Amino acid sequence: MAGDEPDRTQSGNPVLGAQTISRAFSVLRLFRDRRGDLGVGTIAKELGLNLSTTHRIVRALVAEGYLAQNTDSERYYLGTGALLLGQAAHRNFALDVVYPVLQQLAAVTGESVNLGVLTADAAVVVERIESAEPLRFTQAPGTRVPLHASSMGKALLAFNADAAERTLKGTRRLHRLTAKTHVSTRELRSELDQIRARGWSTDDEESNLGVRCVGAPIRDGAGLARAAIAVQAPSVRVPDERFDELGPEVTRAAKEISALLPPGHSF
């Protein structure tokens, strides 16, 4: 098993060095996605690593401040290094500037709001506002959202030709997530034309049954979208006619965020 191979970074082998770095990032992602402290045994089991390898990685991360140890339980948690890195990313993404707009959109609609950024093959949630409703749909930061089956993803595809080409070129059928997912690239291309014409996108239970969403792109000065926002709600609160109500609200918020970002800012 690859996870049980010894780590010989001192040999100078670049492959092994890259493997160690990759494993360290895997440990940090585990702490990002799991709440609470974690023991070395749990980390090793979750990532398929042996205990000695896991101990070395954890000790190195503690030494650099990215993990810290609870001396009572001997379990580990994210340290100040991770906190400072997150704060720096928060500033670089200008989330402190856009957060009030997301809050206002959530207040006006009464629903959950997400902001996501474009990666190679998905939109990744970086900020969220949860609805106050007891029945709600939310996605935690770090959630990967499919481009072809989400309002956020389709807003990005409609206003980013390179992303659309990467997603659709040479593809005959798209991955089906629910019975309502559009799997035909021809149908999706037609929908993207409609999104460009009106400025906002929809997700009619295409990625999660029982959830309907409306999204809009955050565009730079050239009109290119590398980020998008979406309002998400249980489908029982979004009859067909509410799409037309939510669309302009989401579009207004997305345009406000675009105007607030510093010149040259890129997600």
Side-chain angles (χ1 to χ4, degrees):
M1 175 175 174
D4 289 330
E5 293 175 359
D7 175 21
R8 300 187 181 89
T9 55
Q10 293 182 351
S11 69
N13 187 320
V15 175
L16 290 175
Q19 184 183 62
T20 300
I21 294 170
S22 177
R23 288 171 172 173
F25 281 125
S26 295
V27 171
L28 291 175
R29 282 194 296 271
L30 183 62
F31 278 91
R32 179 197 68 188
D33 297 337
R34 295 276 297 271
R35 293 186 178 184
D37 301 354
L38 297 174
V40 171
T42 299
I43 299 169
K45 182 179 179 180
E46 289 283 341
L47 300 179
L49 302 174
N50 62 34
L51 283 173
S52 61
T53 297
T54 306
H55 271 293
R56 284 198 299 273
I57 293 171
V58 168
R59 284 199 301 269
L61 291 171
V62 169
E64 295 297 329
Y66 289 97
L67 292 181
Q69 187 177 32
N70 183 322
T71 54
D72 293 330
S73 66
E74 298 187 348
R75 293 158 67 90
Y76 296 87
Y77 56 93
L78 287 174
T80 54
L83 175 63
L84 294 173
L85 189 64
Q87 290 176 337
H90 198 277
R91 289 193 303 272
N92 289 342
F93 276 104
L95 294 182
D96 53 338
V97 174
V98 307
Y99 193 79
V101 182
L102 300 180
Q103 285 183 310
Q104 176 64 18
L105 180 59
V108 168
T109 63
E111 306 295 353
S112 299
V113 175
N114 274 359
L115 184 149
V117 298
L118 178 66
T119 64
D121 59 353
V124 176
V125 176
V126 296
E127 190 61 272
R128 67 171 176 183
I129 307 290
E130 290 192 8
S131 169
E133 296 286 342
L135 178 62
R136 59 183 179 265
F137 180 78
T138 61
Q139 292 171 312
T143 301
R144 296 176 63 82
V145 179
L147 294 175
H148 72 287
S150 66
S151 62
M152 187 182 294
K154 286 186 284 185
L156 288 165
L157 294 179
F159 293 93
N160 191 313
D162 288 343
E165 202 59 21
R166 285 196 307 269
T167 301
L168 299 174
K169 186 177 181 180
T171 302
R172 303 180 75 179
R173 302 281 288 178
L174 299 161
H175 180 59
R176 183 180 295 281
L177 297 169
T178 75
K180 292 192 172 185
T181 304
H182 298 303
V183 296
S184 164
T185 55
R186 178 179 297 180
E187 288 182 5
L188 182 56
R189 287 185 186 276
S190 176
E191 185 177 1
L192 295 181
D193 289 338
Q194 296 173 10
I195 294 167
R196 280 187 285 270
R198 71 187 177 202
W200 49 272
S201 58
T202 63
D203 168 2
D204 182 11
E205 302 185 78
E206 296 158 44
S207 56
N208 294 279
L209 288 176
V211 178
R212 283 182 145 186
C213 313
V214 179
I218 297 171
R219 302 162 69 182
D220 61 19
L224 186 67
R226 294 191 179 90
I229 59 174
V231 168
Q232 306 164 314
S235 56
V236 294
R237 288 207 299 272
V238 188
D240 290 347
E241 58 270 21
R242 198 176 181 209
F243 279 136
D244 293 329
E245 171 197 326
L246 292 173
E249 291 288 350
V250 178
T251 303
R252 177 201 56 75
K255 287 181 178 179
E256 185 176 350
I257 290 171
S258 298
L260 286 171
L261 294 177
H265 179 275
S266 175
F267 284 99

